[in-house]
Amino acid sequence: MNRKSVWALLRGVAVVAGGCQKKEAAPAAAASPAAMTEEEKAVYALGAAIGQQAAQSVKALNLSPAELELLKKGMAASLAGEKPQYDIQQYGPKLQARAEAQAGAAAAGEKQKSAAFRDAAAAESGAVKTASGLVYKTLTPGRGGSPKTTDTVSVHYHGTLPDGKVFDSSVQRGQPAEFQLNQVIPCWTEGVQRMKVGEKAKLVCPSEIA
């Protein structure tokens, strides 16, 4: 998480709010998108952009529905030109600490899930878990020698997440990847060295060597 994201959002909102003047008249009912003028659409687009920035910036806080309503009230008050009831300089560090705690908890949860996935893979018949944490399993045997770290290899692969979602695939692109074996992630450097020409294998890479 960007440590300055919460501050950046608040500064951005302050700039927008600073250019607004408080109005005594009640706001007019919102027009439907089809009935908006170009000027109204431009203002709507500005509001949507600020909302997107706010949503992204406070995502790490994991706000409850009630807290989201408080956030909206605070933003509405600033946009109306009202003096803030509470000083962000006082409460900003508290929000930052909360964001970091939420991020740490999420990371710990993902690490536990990854460890469980790796342990399940290591328990499969024919799988080998190395000292680095790599889990290696031959699916289709190959023939001949194995590459050295300084060799350039040509491989077809599917890169998947623990849930099976493919995030990268030379097979889908229809073109094998070529690279020098000591210029890729350690998991590949170690795993591909175990393979022989024509072999198909499954590599489970822990984050430490991925």
Side-chain angles (χ1 to χ4, degrees), residues 86-133:
Y86 306 102
D87 187 1
I88 190 57
Q89 296 300 326
Q90 176 182 355
Y91 290 99
K94 183 179 181 66
L95 293 173
Q96 191 66 44
R98 173 174 170 170
E100 291 175 354
Q102 293 282 358
E110 287 302 316
K111 189 171 184 178
Q112 288 182 345
K113 291 180 183 178
S114 297
F117 178 83
R118 183 177 58 189
D119 291 344
E124 294 178 2
S125 177
V128 175
K129 183 178 179 181
T130 71
S132 69

Short mmCIF file of all heavy atoms in Angstrom, two decimals, residues 86-133:
data_model
loop_
_atom_site.label_atom_id
_atom_site.label_comp_id
_atom_site.label_asym_id
_atom_site.label_seq_id
_atom_site.Cartn_x
_atom_site.Cartn_y
_atom_site.Cartn_z
N TYR A 86 -13.52 18.04 12.99
CA TYR A 86 -12.36 17.34 13.52
C TYR A 86 -11.18 17.56 12.59
O TYR A 86 -11.33 17.60 11.37
CB TYR A 86 -12.65 15.85 13.68
CG TYR A 86 -13.90 15.57 14.48
CD1 TYR A 86 -15.09 15.23 13.85
CD2 TYR A 86 -13.88 15.71 15.87
CE1 TYR A 86 -16.24 15.00 14.59
CE2 TYR A 86 -15.04 15.49 16.62
CZ TYR A 86 -16.22 15.13 15.97
OH TYR A 86 -17.34 14.91 16.70
N ASP A 87 -10.00 17.70 13.16
CA ASP A 87 -8.79 18.04 12.42
C ASP A 87 -8.11 16.79 11.88
O ASP A 87 -7.76 15.88 12.63
CB ASP A 87 -7.84 18.80 13.34
CG ASP A 87 -6.62 19.34 12.60
OD1 ASP A 87 -6.53 19.13 11.38
OD2 ASP A 87 -5.78 19.98 13.26
N ILE A 88 -7.90 16.74 10.55
CA ILE A 88 -7.26 15.58 9.94
C ILE A 88 -5.81 15.44 10.38
O ILE A 88 -5.25 14.34 10.39
CB ILE A 88 -7.34 15.66 8.39
CG1 ILE A 88 -6.90 14.33 7.76
CG2 ILE A 88 -6.51 16.80 7.86
CD1 ILE A 88 -7.67 13.13 8.22
N GLN A 89 -5.19 16.56 10.77
CA GLN A 89 -3.82 16.49 11.26
C GLN A 89 -3.76 15.66 12.55
O GLN A 89 -2.74 15.03 12.84
CB GLN A 89 -3.27 17.90 11.52
CG GLN A 89 -3.16 18.74 10.26
CD GLN A 89 -2.24 18.13 9.22
OE1 GLN A 89 -1.24 17.49 9.57
NE2 GLN A 89 -2.55 18.30 7.95
N GLN A 90 -4.84 15.66 13.30
CA GLN A 90 -4.90 14.89 14.54
C GLN A 90 -5.22 13.43 14.26
O GLN A 90 -4.65 12.52 14.87
CB GLN A 90 -5.95 15.48 15.48
CG GLN A 90 -6.14 14.68 16.77
CD GLN A 90 -7.24 15.27 17.66
OE1 GLN A 90 -7.79 16.33 17.35
NE2 GLN A 90 -7.54 14.57 18.75
N TYR A 91 -6.15 13.19 13.33
CA TYR A 91 -6.64 11.84 13.11
C TYR A 91 -6.00 11.13 11.92
O TYR A 91 -6.19 9.92 11.74
CB TYR A 91 -8.16 11.86 12.94
CG TYR A 91 -8.88 12.18 14.22
CD1 TYR A 91 -9.34 13.47 14.48
CD2 TYR A 91 -9.05 11.21 15.19
CE1 TYR A 91 -9.97 13.78 15.67
CE2 TYR A 91 -9.69 11.50 16.39
CZ TYR A 91 -10.15 12.78 16.62
OH TYR A 91 -10.78 13.08 17.80
N GLY A 92 -5.22 11.87 11.12
CA GLY A 92 -4.56 11.24 9.98
C GLY A 92 -3.67 10.07 10.36
O GLY A 92 -3.74 8.99 9.76
N PRO A 93 -2.80 10.23 11.38
CA PRO A 93 -1.95 9.11 11.79
C PRO A 93 -2.74 7.89 12.23
O PRO A 93 -2.32 6.75 12.01
CB PRO A 93 -1.14 9.69 12.95
CG PRO A 93 -1.09 11.16 12.66
CD PRO A 93 -2.44 11.48 12.08
N LYS A 94 -3.90 8.12 12.85
CA LYS A 94 -4.75 7.01 13.28
C LYS A 94 -5.27 6.24 12.07
O LYS A 94 -5.28 4.99 12.06
CB LYS A 94 -5.92 7.55 14.10
CG LYS A 94 -6.84 6.47 14.67
CD LYS A 94 -7.95 7.09 15.48
CE LYS A 94 -8.87 6.04 16.07
NZ LYS A 94 -8.19 5.18 17.08
N LEU A 95 -5.66 6.97 11.02
CA LEU A 95 -6.13 6.32 9.80
C LEU A 95 -5.00 5.55 9.12
O LEU A 95 -5.20 4.45 8.60
CB LEU A 95 -6.71 7.37 8.85
CG LEU A 95 -7.99 8.06 9.29
CD1 LEU A 95 -8.34 9.19 8.34
CD2 LEU A 95 -9.14 7.05 9.36
N GLN A 96 -3.81 6.16 9.11
CA GLN A 96 -2.67 5.50 8.49
C GLN A 96 -2.33 4.20 9.21
O GLN A 96 -2.06 3.18 8.59
CB GLN A 96 -1.46 6.43 8.49
CG GLN A 96 -0.29 5.95 7.64
CD GLN A 96 -0.63 5.94 6.17
OE1 GLN A 96 -1.22 6.90 5.66
NE2 GLN A 96 -0.28 4.88 5.49
N ALA A 97 -2.36 4.25 10.55
CA ALA A 97 -2.08 3.05 11.34
C ALA A 97 -3.12 1.97 11.08
O ALA A 97 -2.80 0.78 10.99
CB ALA A 97 -2.04 3.40 12.83
N ARG A 98 -4.37 2.38 10.93
CA ARG A 98 -5.43 1.41 10.65
C ARG A 98 -5.23 0.77 9.29
O ARG A 98 -5.38 -0.45 9.13
CB ARG A 98 -6.80 2.10 10.71
CG ARG A 98 -7.94 1.20 10.26
CD ARG A 98 -9.28 1.85 10.46
NE ARG A 98 -10.34 1.08 9.81
CZ ARG A 98 -11.63 1.30 9.99
NH1 ARG A 98 -12.04 2.26 10.81
NH2 ARG A 98 -12.52 0.58 9.36
N ALA A 99 -4.87 1.57 8.29
CA ALA A 99 -4.65 1.05 6.95
C ALA A 99 -3.51 0.03 6.95
O ALA A 99 -3.59 -1.02 6.30
CB ALA A 99 -4.36 2.19 5.98
N GLU A 100 -2.45 0.35 7.67
CA GLU A 100 -1.30 -0.56 7.73
C GLU A 100 -1.65 -1.85 8.45
O GLU A 100 -1.22 -2.93 8.06
CB GLU A 100 -0.12 0.14 8.41
CG GLU A 100 0.46 1.28 7.59
CD GLU A 100 1.54 2.05 8.33
OE1 GLU A 100 1.75 1.77 9.52
OE2 GLU A 100 2.16 2.94 7.70
N ALA A 101 -2.47 -1.74 9.51
CA ALA A 101 -2.90 -2.94 10.24
C ALA A 101 -3.78 -3.82 9.36
O ALA A 101 -3.64 -5.05 9.35
CB ALA A 101 -3.65 -2.54 11.50
N GLN A 102 -4.68 -3.20 8.59
CA GLN A 102 -5.54 -3.95 7.69
C GLN A 102 -4.72 -4.65 6.61
O GLN A 102 -4.96 -5.81 6.28
CB GLN A 102 -6.56 -3.01 7.04
CG GLN A 102 -7.59 -2.41 7.98
CD GLN A 102 -8.70 -3.38 8.35
OE1 GLN A 102 -8.76 -4.50 7.87
NE2 GLN A 102 -9.61 -2.94 9.21
N ALA A 103 -3.73 -3.93 6.09
CA ALA A 103 -2.88 -4.51 5.05
C ALA A 103 -2.07 -5.68 5.60
O ALA A 103 -1.90 -6.71 4.94
CB ALA A 103 -1.94 -3.45 4.48
N GLY A 104 -1.57 -5.53 6.84
CA GLY A 104 -0.81 -6.60 7.45
C GLY A 104 -1.65 -7.84 7.69
O GLY A 104 -1.20 -8.97 7.46
N ALA A 105 -2.89 -7.64 8.15
CA ALA A 105 -3.79 -8.76 8.38
C ALA A 105 -4.12 -9.48 7.08
O ALA A 105 -4.17 -10.71 7.02
CB ALA A 105 -5.06 -8.28 9.07
N ALA A 106 -4.36 -8.69 6.02
CA ALA A 106 -4.66 -9.29 4.73
C ALA A 106 -3.48 -10.08 4.19
O ALA A 106 -3.64 -11.18 3.65
CB ALA A 106 -5.06 -8.19 3.73
N ALA A 107 -2.28 -9.53 4.35
CA ALA A 107 -1.08 -10.22 3.89
C ALA A 107 -0.86 -11.53 4.65
O ALA A 107 -0.48 -12.55 4.06
CB ALA A 107 0.14 -9.32 4.03
N ALA A 108 -1.12 -11.50 5.96
CA ALA A 108 -0.96 -12.70 6.77
C ALA A 108 -1.96 -13.77 6.35
O ALA A 108 -1.62 -14.96 6.27
CB ALA A 108 -1.15 -12.36 8.25
N GLY A 109 -3.18 -13.34 6.04
CA GLY A 109 -4.19 -14.29 5.58
C GLY A 109 -3.81 -14.93 4.26
O GLY A 109 -3.98 -16.14 4.07
N GLU A 110 -3.31 -14.11 3.33
CA GLU A 110 -2.90 -14.64 2.04
C GLU A 110 -1.71 -15.59 2.18
O GLU A 110 -1.61 -16.60 1.48
CB GLU A 110 -2.54 -13.49 1.09
CG GLU A 110 -3.73 -12.70 0.59
CD GLU A 110 -4.73 -13.58 -0.15
OE1 GLU A 110 -4.29 -14.41 -0.98
OE2 GLU A 110 -5.93 -13.44 0.10
N LYS A 111 -0.81 -15.28 3.11
CA LYS A 111 0.35 -16.14 3.33
C LYS A 111 -0.08 -17.51 3.84
O LYS A 111 0.46 -18.54 3.45
CB LYS A 111 1.31 -15.48 4.31
CG LYS A 111 2.65 -16.19 4.42
CD LYS A 111 3.64 -15.38 5.24
CE LYS A 111 5.00 -16.06 5.26
NZ LYS A 111 6.00 -15.26 6.04
N GLN A 112 -1.07 -17.51 4.74
CA GLN A 112 -1.59 -18.78 5.26
C GLN A 112 -2.23 -19.60 4.14
O GLN A 112 -2.04 -20.82 4.07
CB GLN A 112 -2.60 -18.51 6.37
CG GLN A 112 -1.97 -18.00 7.67
CD GLN A 112 -3.01 -17.81 8.75
OE1 GLN A 112 -4.21 -17.78 8.49
NE2 GLN A 112 -2.55 -17.66 10.00
N LYS A 113 -3.01 -18.94 3.29
CA LYS A 113 -3.64 -19.64 2.19
C LYS A 113 -2.59 -20.22 1.24
O LYS A 113 -2.72 -21.35 0.77
CB LYS A 113 -4.57 -18.68 1.42
CG LYS A 113 -5.81 -18.26 2.18
CD LYS A 113 -6.64 -17.31 1.34
CE LYS A 113 -7.85 -16.81 2.09
NZ LYS A 113 -8.65 -15.85 1.27
N SER A 114 -1.55 -19.43 0.96
CA SER A 114 -0.49 -19.88 0.06
C SER A 114 0.26 -21.07 0.64
O SER A 114 0.59 -22.02 -0.08
CB SER A 114 0.49 -18.73 -0.21
OG SER A 114 -0.15 -17.66 -0.87
N ALA A 115 0.51 -21.03 1.96
CA ALA A 115 1.21 -22.14 2.61
C ALA A 115 0.38 -23.41 2.53
O ALA A 115 0.91 -24.51 2.28
CB ALA A 115 1.52 -21.78 4.05
N ALA A 116 -0.94 -23.28 2.74
CA ALA A 116 -1.82 -24.44 2.66
C ALA A 116 -1.83 -25.02 1.24
O ALA A 116 -1.81 -26.24 1.05
CB ALA A 116 -3.23 -24.06 3.10
N PHE A 117 -1.86 -24.13 0.26
CA PHE A 117 -1.85 -24.57 -1.14
C PHE A 117 -0.55 -25.30 -1.47
O PHE A 117 -0.55 -26.35 -2.11
CB PHE A 117 -2.02 -23.35 -2.05
CG PHE A 117 -1.99 -23.68 -3.52
CD1 PHE A 117 -3.12 -24.13 -4.18
CD2 PHE A 117 -0.82 -23.52 -4.26
CE1 PHE A 117 -3.10 -24.43 -5.53
CE2 PHE A 117 -0.78 -23.83 -5.61
CZ PHE A 117 -1.92 -24.27 -6.24
N ARG A 118 0.57 -24.74 -1.02
CA ARG A 118 1.87 -25.35 -1.28
C ARG A 118 2.00 -26.70 -0.59
O ARG A 118 2.51 -27.66 -1.16
CB ARG A 118 2.99 -24.42 -0.81
CG ARG A 118 4.39 -24.93 -1.11
CD ARG A 118 5.44 -23.92 -0.68
NE ARG A 118 5.33 -23.60 0.74
CZ ARG A 118 6.01 -22.63 1.32
NH1 ARG A 118 6.82 -21.85 0.62
NH2 ARG A 118 5.88 -22.40 2.61
N ASP A 119 1.50 -26.80 0.66
CA ASP A 119 1.57 -28.06 1.38
C ASP A 119 0.73 -29.14 0.69
O ASP A 119 1.13 -30.31 0.64
CB ASP A 119 1.08 -27.87 2.82
CG ASP A 119 2.04 -27.03 3.65
OD1 ASP A 119 3.21 -26.86 3.22
OD2 ASP A 119 1.62 -26.54 4.72
N ALA A 120 -0.42 -28.74 0.17
CA ALA A 120 -1.27 -29.70 -0.54
C ALA A 120 -0.58 -30.18 -1.81
O ALA A 120 -0.63 -31.37 -2.16
CB ALA A 120 -2.62 -29.06 -0.88
N ALA A 121 0.10 -29.26 -2.51
CA ALA A 121 0.83 -29.64 -3.73
C ALA A 121 1.98 -30.57 -3.40
O ALA A 121 2.26 -31.53 -4.13
CB ALA A 121 1.34 -28.39 -4.44
N ALA A 122 2.68 -30.30 -2.27
CA ALA A 122 3.82 -31.12 -1.88
C ALA A 122 3.39 -32.53 -1.49
O ALA A 122 4.19 -33.48 -1.56
CB ALA A 122 4.57 -30.46 -0.73
N ALA A 123 2.13 -32.67 -1.06
CA ALA A 123 1.62 -33.97 -0.64
C ALA A 123 1.18 -34.84 -1.82
O ALA A 123 0.88 -36.03 -1.63
CB ALA A 123 0.45 -33.79 0.34
N GLU A 124 1.14 -34.29 -3.02
CA GLU A 124 0.73 -35.06 -4.19
C GLU A 124 1.78 -36.14 -4.51
O GLU A 124 2.98 -35.96 -4.28
CB GLU A 124 0.56 -34.14 -5.41
CG GLU A 124 -0.60 -33.15 -5.27
CD GLU A 124 -0.70 -32.24 -6.48
OE1 GLU A 124 0.09 -32.41 -7.43
OE2 GLU A 124 -1.57 -31.35 -6.47
N SER A 125 1.30 -37.22 -5.04
CA SER A 125 2.19 -38.32 -5.41
C SER A 125 3.21 -37.86 -6.45
O SER A 125 2.85 -37.26 -7.46
CB SER A 125 1.37 -39.49 -5.97
OG SER A 125 2.22 -40.54 -6.39
N GLY A 126 4.49 -38.12 -6.19
CA GLY A 126 5.54 -37.76 -7.14
C GLY A 126 6.09 -36.36 -6.97
O GLY A 126 7.06 -35.99 -7.63
N ALA A 127 5.49 -35.57 -6.07
CA ALA A 127 5.96 -34.19 -5.87
C ALA A 127 7.17 -34.17 -4.94
O ALA A 127 7.30 -35.00 -4.05
CB ALA A 127 4.84 -33.33 -5.29
N VAL A 128 8.04 -33.18 -5.16
CA VAL A 128 9.24 -32.99 -4.34
C VAL A 128 9.27 -31.55 -3.87
O VAL A 128 9.12 -30.62 -4.68
CB VAL A 128 10.52 -33.31 -5.14
CG1 VAL A 128 11.76 -33.00 -4.31
CG2 VAL A 128 10.53 -34.75 -5.60
N LYS A 129 9.48 -31.35 -2.57
CA LYS A 129 9.63 -30.01 -2.02
C LYS A 129 11.10 -29.79 -1.71
O LYS A 129 11.70 -30.55 -0.95
CB LYS A 129 8.79 -29.83 -0.76
CG LYS A 129 8.83 -28.42 -0.19
CD LYS A 129 7.93 -28.31 1.04
CE LYS A 129 7.98 -26.91 1.65
NZ LYS A 129 7.13 -26.79 2.84
N THR A 130 11.70 -28.74 -2.28
CA THR A 130 13.12 -28.49 -2.10
C THR A 130 13.36 -27.57 -0.90
O THR A 130 12.43 -27.04 -0.31
CB THR A 130 13.72 -27.84 -3.36
OG1 THR A 130 13.24 -26.50 -3.48
CG2 THR A 130 13.34 -28.63 -4.61
N ALA A 131 14.63 -27.37 -0.57
CA ALA A 131 14.99 -26.53 0.57
C ALA A 131 14.52 -25.09 0.41
O ALA A 131 14.24 -24.39 1.39
CB ALA A 131 16.50 -26.56 0.77
N SER A 132 14.39 -24.62 -0.81
CA SER A 132 13.96 -23.24 -1.07
C SER A 132 12.46 -23.06 -0.89
O SER A 132 11.97 -21.94 -0.82
CB SER A 132 14.34 -22.82 -2.49
OG SER A 132 13.57 -23.54 -3.44
N GLY A 133 11.72 -24.17 -0.85
CA GLY A 133 10.27 -24.11 -0.77
C GLY A 133 9.58 -24.45 -2.08
O GLY A 133 8.36 -24.60 -2.13
#
